[in-house]
């Protein structure tokens, strides 16, 4: 039987490209999770035929119930891509607790909630792939993003710790740290700021979602069985870590 993959935040941006790549390159049955944008989810599902499921990954009970339902319907979750993420930017002086907490709850808490739900089945079957989407800004820090940088940096630590727990069960756990990728998230950055960012990217352009998806597909493949606890930086050379 083919493998089953769940991609959180899989209906837009980077997640959308990951879903299609896992299906097309690895032949996986892919389920795309999303939070609230029903129109985007429907457009994605209509175009690709990929099933979508709506729940908030930051809500522990909802994430566990969502994964349980997928396992009941499809028999397993073999690949988990923790891609869902949000930004609530502002300097520390202007950031309120809710901005801090929501970013931690969804970006980092979501990884815990989903892994907690999917890991036992992977352990039982002796095979699993978990890929967590971190960020260049979790590696290098970024002005106005103490919440996001902390959550993404946390994802990199989470990855290395869980990789140690999963290794003897055939479960690999890796992270990808994207640089600036051309998605809605980056479209929200003011043009003047974006121009300065692109000027600092050695390859001279933003990345494409497909370029992150290729990395995820490799880490989810059989070929990557000896790769665990690693962070793959895909950032056009902007930060060499
Ligand atoms: N774009 C970049 O340059 C960049 C760089 C480094 C890292 N990243 C990371 O890459 C990931 C994807 O980024 P993106 O640019 O593709 O983002 P995006 O275009 O804003 O899409 C975000 C996706 O995450 C979903 N989502 C948000 N909150 C969620 C929640 N609580 N529960 C479930 N799903 C949720 C959204 O669902 P709805 O459609 O329902 O809102 C959407 O499908 C994020 O983790 C981001 O931090 C992005």
């Amino acid at each position: 039987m083919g493998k089953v993959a769940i991609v959180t935040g899989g209906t837009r941006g980077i997640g959308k490209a990951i879903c299609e790549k896992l299906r097309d390159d690895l032949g996986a049955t892919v389920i795309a999770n999303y939070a609230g944008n029903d129109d985007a989810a429907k457009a994605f599902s209509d175009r690709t035929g990929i099933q979508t499921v709506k729940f908030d990954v930051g809500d522990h009970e909802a994430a566990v119930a969502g994964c349980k339902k997928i396992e009941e319907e499809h028999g397993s979750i073999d690949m988990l891509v923790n891609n869902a993420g949000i930004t609530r930017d502002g300097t520390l002086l202007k950031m309120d607790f809710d901005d801090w907490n929501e970013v931690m709850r969804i970006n980092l808490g979501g990884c815990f909630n989903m892994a907690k739900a999917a890991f036992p089945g992977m352990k039982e079957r002796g095979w699993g792939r978990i890929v967590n989407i971190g960020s260049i800004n979790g590696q290098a820090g970024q002005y106005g993003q103490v919440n996001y940088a902390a959550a993404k940096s946390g994802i990199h630590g989470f990855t290395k710790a869980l990789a140690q727990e999963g290794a003897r069960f055939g479960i690999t756990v890796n992270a990808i740290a994207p640089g600036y990728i051309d998605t809605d998230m980056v479209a929200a950055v003011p043009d003047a700021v974006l121009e300065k960012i692109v000027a600092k990217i050695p390859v001279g352009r933003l990345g494409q979602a497909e370029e992150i998806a290729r990395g995820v597909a490799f880490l989810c493949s059989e070929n990557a069985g000896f790769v665990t606890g690693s962070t793959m930086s895909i950032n056009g050379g902007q930060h060499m870590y």
Side-chain angles (χ1 to χ4, degrees), residues 7-20 83 133-134 178-185 208-210 212-213 216:
V7 179
T8 68
T11 55
R12 287 198 285 126
I14 293 172
K16 196 164 77 168
I18 295 171
C19 286
E20 293 187 70
N83 165 76
I133 304 300
Y180 284 81
I181 310 300
D182 193 6
T183 69
D184 293 348
M185 187 179 268
Q208 296 300 312
E210 161 79 16
I212 305 303
V216 175

Side-chain angles (χ1 to χ4, degrees), residues 79-94:
M79 302 168 191
L80 163 63
V81 183
N82 282 314
N83 165 76
I86 61 162
T87 49
R88 291 272 189 96
D89 295 353
T91 58
L92 178 73
L93 292 174
K94 291 184 185 150

Side-chain angles (χ1 to χ4, degrees), residues 203-241:
V203 305
R205 63 169 174 86
L206 294 177
Q208 296 300 312
E210 161 79 16
E211 294 177 301
I212 305 303
R214 279 187 217 129
V216 175
F218 167 67
L219 291 171
C220 285
S221 72
E222 289 292 349
N223 288 338
F226 201 57
V227 183
T228 196
S230 76
T231 297
M232 186 190 283
S233 296
I234 305 180
N235 61 27
Q238 190 182 350
H239 181 65
M240 300 188 188
Y241 187 68

Side-chain angles (χ1 to χ4, degrees), residues 49-115:
I50 289 174
Q51 182 187 343
T52 60
V53 286
K54 180 175 169 176
F55 60 83
D56 173 3
V57 294
D59 176 335
H60 185 74
E61 274 75 37
V64 170
C67 289
K68 188 162 177 260
K69 195 155 176 273
I70 291 165
E71 286 185 325
E72 282 166 3
E73 219 171 288
H74 297 280
S76 62
I77 293 176
D78 306 293
M79 302 168 191
L80 163 63
V81 183
N82 282 314
N83 165 76
I86 61 162
T87 49
R88 291 272 189 96
D89 295 353
T91 58
L92 178 73
L93 292 174
K94 291 184 185 150
M95 187 177 290
D96 61 28
F97 180 71
D98 194 46
D99 296 328
W100 165 264
N101 205 38
E102 273 300 276
V103 168
M104 295 302 283
R105 187 184 74 80
I106 292 169
N107 295 18
L108 184 55
C111 291
F112 172 81
N113 295 336
M114 294 298 293

